[in-house]
Amino acid sequence: MGAARKWLVIAVPYLWLLVFFLVPFFIVFKISFSTTALSIPPYTPVFEFTEGVAGLVDKARQLTLDNYLWLTQDPLYLRSYLSSVWIAFVSTLLTLLIGYPLAYGMARASRSLRPLLVMLVILPFWTSFLIRVYAWIGILRREGLLNQLLTWLGVIDAPLTIINTNTAVYIGIVYSYLPFMVLPLYAALERMDESLIEAAQDLGCTRLQAFWKITFPLSLPGVVAGSMLVFIPAVGEFVIPDLLGGSETLMIGKTLWVEFFSNRDWPVASAVASILLLILVVPIVLFQHQQSRQSEDGR
């Protein structure tokens, strides 16, 4: 009975991944080898499981990489990938710079105050994501609250143009994904033994030296986890660049939307999505492999 429970615990997450990740991915991957057609859905299926094994083998021999080759011929897709990775990287770095002090302050607060601080961090999740992004339009536009405040304080003479720029996209991503950075960092910092800092100071380290030699290295798992949780969804973000960005804001999420719903070119859009998934999954797998090797070496 115990063995059956063990296998059940292991099988449930794998079944979840199979149903909600692998199956949808293979459907999209299959569409990427199709050709566009004036039909519903707007492509000619490559594989038809009703054809039997012999039919599937014959179709597999006829597969072409035309849709993937098309992505290399049009610079729009390469620029979309590079722009998305860059925007996601900068946003992740800004989120880390803002989130680390917040998490550090939460971890050093009194134990009775920590639950309240955690609740304040996750409080924005109680409001619709779309509504929160829409709110930034009213804040960042030329007649918005931010320009009114800066003008009233005498900081600026003319309204700033922030909305419909990459700056607005950075602000929207950092605001939206800040809790995903703060919570893993807080979990890592809250578990840290404070006596290590006291021991380092007794041995002659300043508070800054103790931070860089002890606190920050011990919080690296939280840094990596938070960075992954911010970077991965930010690369494929669509809502924020669509609402806050301008015509010059180029991200792969917007490109996918155009290919799927405007151009109705599902095969090319599926190829774009497949490559995007590989860009995100391969570094994660390599990182987990490296972490496993380090754990084995530590033993």
Side-chain angles (χ1 to χ4, degrees):
M1 189 66 179
R5 291 180 179 177
K6 177 182 177 181
W7 282 109
L8 180 61
V9 171
I10 297 175
V12 168
Y14 279 101
L15 182 62
W16 179 274
L17 288 175
L18 175 66
V19 174
F20 295 103
F21 176 75
L22 290 178
V23 172
F25 169 72
F26 280 117
I27 292 174
V28 172
F29 189 65
K30 180 175 73 72
I31 296 174
S32 69
F33 293 101
S34 304
T35 56
T36 306
L38 296 176
S39 60
I40 299 176
Y43 65 90
T44 303
V46 176
F47 296 111
E48 291 290 350
F49 293 101
T50 57
E51 298 177 356
V53 176
L56 292 177
V57 173
D58 183 61
K59 289 288 187 179
R61 294 173 181 172
Q62 302 176 14
L63 290 179
T64 63
L65 299 175
D66 291 344
N67 293 321
Y68 291 93
L69 293 176
W70 169 257
L71 301 185
T72 64
Q73 297 170 2
D74 192 337
L76 170 67
Y77 302 104
L78 178 59
R79 289 190 291 112
S80 296
Y81 284 120
L82 295 178
S83 177
S84 297
V85 171
W86 174 251
I87 291 176
F89 172 77
V90 174
S91 300
T92 302
L93 183 61
L94 293 173
T95 307
L96 177 61
L97 294 176
I98 297 173
Y100 200 102
L102 286 175
Y104 187 84
M106 291 168 57
R108 294 295 175 267
S110 61
R111 292 192 175 275
S112 60
L113 190 59
R114 292 177 190 177
L116 175 62
L117 297 176
V118 172
M119 186 192 71
L120 292 176
V121 170
I122 65 176
L123 192 61
F125 288 132
W126 295 4
T127 306
S128 169
F129 173 77
L130 189 61
I131 293 176
R132 287 186 282 127
V133 176
Y134 263 114
W136 278 104
I137 298 177
I139 296 173
L140 298 178
R141 63 183 182 181
R142 292 181 63 86
E143 303 82 12
L145 297 176
L146 179 61
N147 277 316
Q148 291 181 13
L149 176 62
L150 295 177
T151 303
W152 181 72
L153 293 175
V155 177
I156 58 175
D157 297 326
L160 299 175
T161 303
I162 302 176
I163 196 69
N164 297 330
T165 65
N166 284 351
T167 301
V169 175
Y170 289 131
I171 293 173
I173 293 177
V174 170
Y175 164 76
S176 300
Y177 293 106
L178 184 61
F180 293 104
M181 179 67 74
V182 172
L183 295 178
L185 286 171
Y186 167 74
L189 291 168
E190 197 269 340
R191 293 195 305 265
M192 193 182 68
D193 189 356
E194 296 185 9
S195 62
L196 297 174
I197 304 296
E198 298 175 358
Q201 292 177 347
D202 291 340
L203 294 174
C205 286
T206 63
R207 295 183 64 88
L208 184 59
Q209 290 174 334
F211 173 80
W212 285 113
K213 292 183 178 180
I214 296 176
T215 303
F216 187 74
L218 291 177
S219 65
L220 278 179
V223 172
V224 174
S227 299
M228 290 287 185
L229 290 174
V230 173
F231 179 81
I232 291 173
V235 170
E237 181 60 56
F238 165 73
V239 174
I240 294 174
D242 186 59
L243 295 180
L244 301 182
S247 58
E248 297 181 358
T249 302
L250 189 61
M251 293 193 72
I252 200 64
K254 293 180 66 176
T255 303
L256 274 172
W257 173 270
V258 171
E259 292 294 348
F260 266 118
F261 298 101
S262 297
N263 298 341
R264 300 283 291 175
D265 195 343
W266 286 25
V268 170
S270 299
V272 173
S274 299
I275 293 178
L276 175 61
L277 186 63
L278 290 178
I279 292 175
L280 297 177
V281 168
V282 170
I284 296 174
V285 173
L286 293 176
F287 171 75
Q288 290 181 340
H289 179 68
Q290 181 65 24
Q291 290 291 103
S292 300
R293 291 184 59 183
Q294 290 179 356
S295 299
E296 293 175 0
D297 294 339
R299 292 177 185 175

